[in-house]
Amino acid sequence: MVESDTIYALATAHGRAGIAVFRLSGPSAGEALRQIAKLDVLPDPRRTIRCRMVDPATGDLLDDGLAIWFPSPASLTGEDVVELHIHGGRATTDAVAAALSSLGGLRLAEPGEFSKRAFLAGKIDLTGAEAVADLVDAETEAQRRQALAQLGGGLAGRLEAWRAQLIDVLAHIEAWIDFPDEDLPDGVARSAREKIGGLRAEMGEFLADNRRGERLRDGLQIAILGAPNAGKSSLLNALARRDVAIVSDTAGTTRDVIEVHLDLGGWPVTLADTAGLREAGDEIEQEGVRRALDRSEVADLRLVVFDGSTTPDTTSLGLLENKDTIAVANKSDLPGSSADFPDGIDTLPVSAKTGDGLAGLLTRIEAAAATFFDHGGQAPLTRARHREALVACVASLERAVAAKKSELVAEDLRLAARALGRVTGRVDVEDLLDVIFADFCIGK
């Protein structure tokens, strides 16, 4: 990134809309506003003004809109920032974009470049920048709440508190190493090891969260399993409230995994319909059965569907031995649909055809999702890189506790503090920046 550049981008979605917003950031932002709005002087900071926007090259009127001036450093990026609020028609946004591109010193922003500049200016840390992307991508209420908690500094605050404690312990250890003849408190080393052990235990407990934060970002994975013609595809369509999968009386219709993403009670869920479990007759069906079993292994929750009007098949019964499984007795609308299940198996009768029992099934799924995602109100780890850094920190603390020499304890504490700093971006993150911001949308 060339920091002398002034960047611009459409910060709202492309397409027909009532309002579209262009954002500019950099040293030429103010001059660009003066030219496009034909202003003699810049407006008062952070006050919306109405202006007729023109093409600086031709003087042609582009739109009658609004503009806001955010001078440095009190802005999103810490640079001079301008926002242009225009009508959201495609022709209007294209005309304003063309006018901006013709101005000297301006260029189109790269994905995530506004957030990247905000990070480099110290306006947000890396977890806050990632939370901006999560907030944009949030599709459910739970994802929105998690992103806002992280944007508000929930995760960063906890990590920085741990880092401050590590640095405090490190200072005492280094003082003991550098000034052994000074009158230091007794038991400095012993006290330091106790604090290190306490921090290690606290971080280990935080890590043992069943990856709730990452799961919430990606969605709960639910596999629909069972014998052919048990009604798995019908159940998928009923839960999705649309025809996602082909339904047929012919056994073995579903050969591959069919996925649909849903918002169930505010929780993000991915439902996967799978091939019927039986002795497959051809290579294609055999591959479908293999994929079904593979999906069963990695699923967070399994819906094992039985044809409630027939004797339960042994293959599907065997799947109930897995934890986090709901047994669904489908076709409750058929006469005499009361299959004889072994003792101790709690089945939920439903009819994918009529909808009977679906509300109860949805309640069970939502309760299971709440159990998976509940993190006790704490801002959880939301990305693999967060977890990797914290695991590295705990490993350093374990070495520090076991080390015999104070110099080794101090070095491991430095490594532990450095690992925590990488999460928020305090140290050694230059090589991560392009990766982190590459998935952002233009204008953020």
Side-chain angles (χ1 to χ4, degrees):
M1 182 181 71
V2 181
E3 299 216 22
S4 61
D5 288 353
T6 296
I7 57 175
Y8 72 92
L10 185 64
T12 49
H14 289 272
R16 184 170 178 268
I19 297 174
V21 178
F22 273 94
R23 179 178 288 156
L24 295 76
S25 179
S28 299
E31 179 60 22
L33 173 59
R34 281 202 330 104
Q35 291 190 46
I36 203 167
K38 287 295 183 181
L39 299 175
D40 294 328
V41 295
L42 290 171
D44 292 338
R46 291 169 293 282
R47 294 194 64 180
T48 304
I49 63 165
R50 179 180 175 181
C51 57
R52 293 167 61 84
M53 301 178 197
V54 300
D55 186 332
T58 65
D60 293 341
L61 180 64
L62 301 176
D63 195 19
D64 188 349
L66 304 173
I68 312 175
W69 163 239
F70 302 91
S72 171
S75 71
L76 168 75
T77 62
E79 304 173 324
D80 289 343
V81 170
V82 167
E83 284 188 2
L84 303 176
H85 296 230
I86 63 174
H87 293 93
R90 186 176 295 277
T92 304
T93 56
D94 287 348
V96 172
L100 291 173
S101 68
S102 69
L103 295 175
L106 268 66
R107 65 169 174 83
L108 187 64
E110 298 173 359
E113 191 167 359
F114 288 95
S115 296
K116 185 175 182 180
R117 290 190 177 197
F119 164 72
L120 292 174
K123 294 292 183 177
I124 54 175
D125 62 40
L126 280 186
T127 63
E130 290 166 331
V132 170
D134 289 347
L135 198 55
V136 171
D137 293 336
E139 296 180 345
T140 71
E141 178 65 14
Q143 289 174 322
R144 182 191 67 83
R145 289 197 304 266
Q146 175 169 284
L148 279 177
Q150 185 165 313
L151 184 60
L155 177 59
R158 172 180 284 265
L159 297 177
E160 285 301 310
W162 282 336
R163 186 171 179 272
Q165 293 179 63
L166 286 175
I167 291 174
D168 182 67
V169 175
L170 176 60
H172 285 83
I173 292 290
E174 290 187 330
W176 187 53
I177 294 171
D178 294 340
F179 306 103
D181 296 330
E182 295 294 328
D183 186 17
L184 296 175
D186 294 335
V188 169
R190 182 176 64 256
S191 175
R193 290 183 188 276
E194 290 176 355
K195 291 180 180 179
I196 295 169
L199 283 171
R200 180 189 61 177
E202 191 175 343
M203 292 178 192
E205 183 179 347
F206 189 64
L207 278 170
D209 63 349
N210 206 19
R211 299 181 182 272
R212 286 179 172 83
E214 293 108 307
R215 277 177 162 170
L216 184 52
R217 286 186 68 242
D218 299 333
L220 189 72
Q221 300 295 315
I222 301 179
I224 303 177
L225 306 156
N229 276 355
K232 300 184 298 301
S233 296
S234 297
L235 182 62
L236 176 71
N237 291 342
L239 292 173
R241 297 183 180 178
R242 65 181 189 272
D243 290 336
V244 178
I246 297 174
V247 176
S248 170
D249 291 334
T250 303
T253 302
T254 303
R255 298 294 186 95
D256 204 349
V257 177
I258 300 174
E259 292 186 346
V260 60
H261 302 283
L262 302 176
D263 177 348
L264 296 183
W267 306 110
V269 167
T270 298
L271 279 176
D273 183 23
T274 63
L277 301 177
R278 67 174 180 178
E279 290 293 332
D282 57 61
E283 290 184 3
I284 297 177
E285 190 175 0
Q286 288 173 8
E287 177 63 18
V289 171
R290 185 191 67 79
R291 294 187 181 189
L293 293 174
D294 286 347
R295 182 55 66 98
S296 175
E297 290 296 321
V298 301
D300 300 313
L301 182 67
R302 282 158 287 276
L303 303 183
V304 181
V305 182
F306 296 88
D307 182 343
S309 65
T310 64
T311 302
D313 63 289
T314 56
T315 301
S316 297
L317 286 174
L319 294 173
L320 299 180
E321 297 176 0
N322 296 321
K323 66 174 185 176
D324 301 317
T325 300
I326 299 175
V328 180
N330 193 22
K331 305 185 182 181
S332 64
D333 55 299
L334 295 180
S337 56
S338 56
D340 187 17
F341 285 88
D343 293 339
I345 294 180
D346 178 24
T347 60
L348 191 64
V350 304
S351 171
K353 181 177 181 179
T354 67
D356 288 343
L358 287 182
L361 177 57
L362 286 171
T363 299
R364 289 277 296 273
I365 294 174
E366 290 170 12
T371 300
F372 272 103
F373 295 141
D374 179 40
H375 45 71
Q378 304 178 59
L381 302 171
T382 60
R383 280 174 165 74
R385 78 171 194 90
H386 301 167
R387 190 170 298 277
E388 290 169 1
L390 195 54
V391 167
C393 177
V394 170
S396 295
L397 294 182
E398 289 174 347
R399 291 194 303 270
V401 170
K404 302 299 182 183
K405 294 187 176 182
S406 299
E407 291 81 1
L408 296 178
V409 175
E411 177 61 20
D412 285 323
L413 289 179
R414 277 189 287 269
L415 293 174
R418 185 178 294 272
L420 289 180
R422 282 199 297 271
V423 179
T424 56
R426 293 182 66 107
V427 293
D428 292 347
V429 294
E430 290 80 1
D431 56 337
L432 289 174
L433 294 185
D434 290 339
V435 175
I436 290 172
F437 290 103
D439 292 335
F440 277 57
C441 60
I442 299 292
K444 293 305 291 180

